[in-house]
Amino acid sequence: GAGVSQTPSNKVTEKGKYVELRCDPISGHTALYWYRQSLGQGPEFLIYFQGTGAADDSGLPNDRFFAVRPEGSVSTLKIQRTERGDSAVYLCASSLTSPTGELFFGEGSRLTVL
Amino acid sequence: AQSVSQHNHHVILSEAASLELGCNYSYGGTVNLFWYVQYPGQHLQLLLKYFSGDPLVKGIKGFEAEFIKSKFSFNLRKPSVQWSDTAEYFCAVTGSGNTGKLIFGQGTTLQVKP
């Protein structure tokens, strides 16, 4: 596609439920990133994939968060036992291989945990 | 700790006024610096970037930024703003060898009155 695509755009769930957020990067981009943006804050790094492997997952807040990219294209961010504090906009970005550092962002998935 | 500070959280200007948004960073070593913009209802997009060379960089839509290493600053400027510049602006930094893990500031909301 023309840009980074994220689904769903909005997700409302109850505390304790499991959630999956999907990201479809720009075709040909080997690097993929997940960020989280809370209200009134800038995006916060979660994880970075180069191809199929997680090159840096140091931003994942705890073991309830997990992300995969099995074929080096689409990625899924998985959140187990959601908590109200997980409510945020989850942003996905992709880029050509380093080192340009220019990230192309999707419009985000807004997660609300009740 | 690595961080980015944006001094102005909300700026209101009239059309044709000059703009300067402050950005200071704390990061060890060689840095790459970015300004991203998010127009209402749209995704984050790159405005301009600094990797090396001339510390005065020019971006899209008449924006420019100056890297002052001694002040750890990367302020964004535009001589004459337009109503269409109304948006949220984010400054970000990463190390030269770590281009995917951007550290963002809190953002500055710019409102331009026609």
Side-chain angles (χ1 to χ4, degrees):
Chain A
V4 176
S5 175
Q6 291 189 246
T7 55
S9 55
N10 273 289
K11 176 71 177 179
V12 180
T13 190
E14 293 179 345
K15 179 183 172 184
K17 299 291 187 182
Y18 170 81
V19 167
E20 288 191 352
L21 306 175
R22 175 190 166 104
C23 173
D24 198 343
I26 293 172
S27 178
H29 282 192
T30 59
L32 184 145
Y33 314 82
W34 285 99
Y35 284 78
R36 176 169 72 173
Q37 187 172 17
S38 302
L39 194 63
Q41 302 295 320
E44 175 190 20
F45 172 82
L46 295 177
I47 186 169
Y48 154 50
F49 287 90
Q50 186 63 259
T52 60
D56 186 344
D57 65 357
S58 61
L60 294 177
N62 51 60
D63 60 5
R64 295 187 297 106
F65 289 75
F66 189 70
V68 296
R69 196 186 184 199
E71 298 179 357
S73 178
V74 171
S75 175
T76 304
L77 178 65
K78 307 181 180 191
I79 310 174
Q80 298 178 324
R81 305 182 304 279
T82 52
E83 300 177 357
R84 293 194 179 88
D86 298 335
S87 296
V89 176
Y90 289 82
L91 298 170
C92 179
S94 68
S95 71
L96 294 170
T97 53
S98 313
T100 68
E102 179 171 353
L103 306 188
F104 295 84
F105 283 86
E107 295 194 6
S109 292
R110 182 177 298 278
L111 174 65
T112 302
V113 182
L114 301 177
Chain B
Q2 299 163 350
S3 65
V4 174
S5 176
Q6 293 183 238
H7 317 299
N8 318 100
H9 297 300
H10 197 157
V11 174
I12 302 173
L13 295 173
S14 297
E15 277 195 312
S18 65
L19 170 72
E20 181 160 4
L21 300 183
C23 172
N24 284 92
Y25 66 91
S26 173
Y27 200 103
T30 305
V31 295
N32 297 329
L33 294 155
F34 307 82
W35 277 96
Y36 278 83
V37 61
Q38 187 167 23
Y39 297 103
Q42 297 187 25
H43 57 274
L44 275 165
Q45 55 189 285
L46 183 68
L47 199 54
L48 50 77
K49 61 185 178 183
Y50 171 81
F51 282 1
S52 63
D54 189 344
L56 184 62
V57 293
K58 295 190 183 300
I60 60 172
K61 304 185 179 184
F63 286 90
E64 64 178 31
E66 185 175 12
F67 170 49
I68 303 179
K69 189 175 181 180
S70 61
K71 295 185 178 180
F72 300 93
S73 71
F74 190 57
N75 292 355
L76 181 70
R77 299 194 293 248
K78 185 171 184 178
S80 175
V81 296
Q82 301 174 319
W83 177 78
S84 58
D85 293 326
T86 295
E88 191 157 17
Y89 293 81
F90 294 93
C91 181
V93 64
T94 187
S96 60
N98 194 0
T99 56
K101 188 175 179 178
L102 294 177
I103 297 170
F104 284 86
Q106 281 187 303
T108 297
T109 301
L110 171 65
Q111 183 181 353
V112 179
K113 294 183 173 180

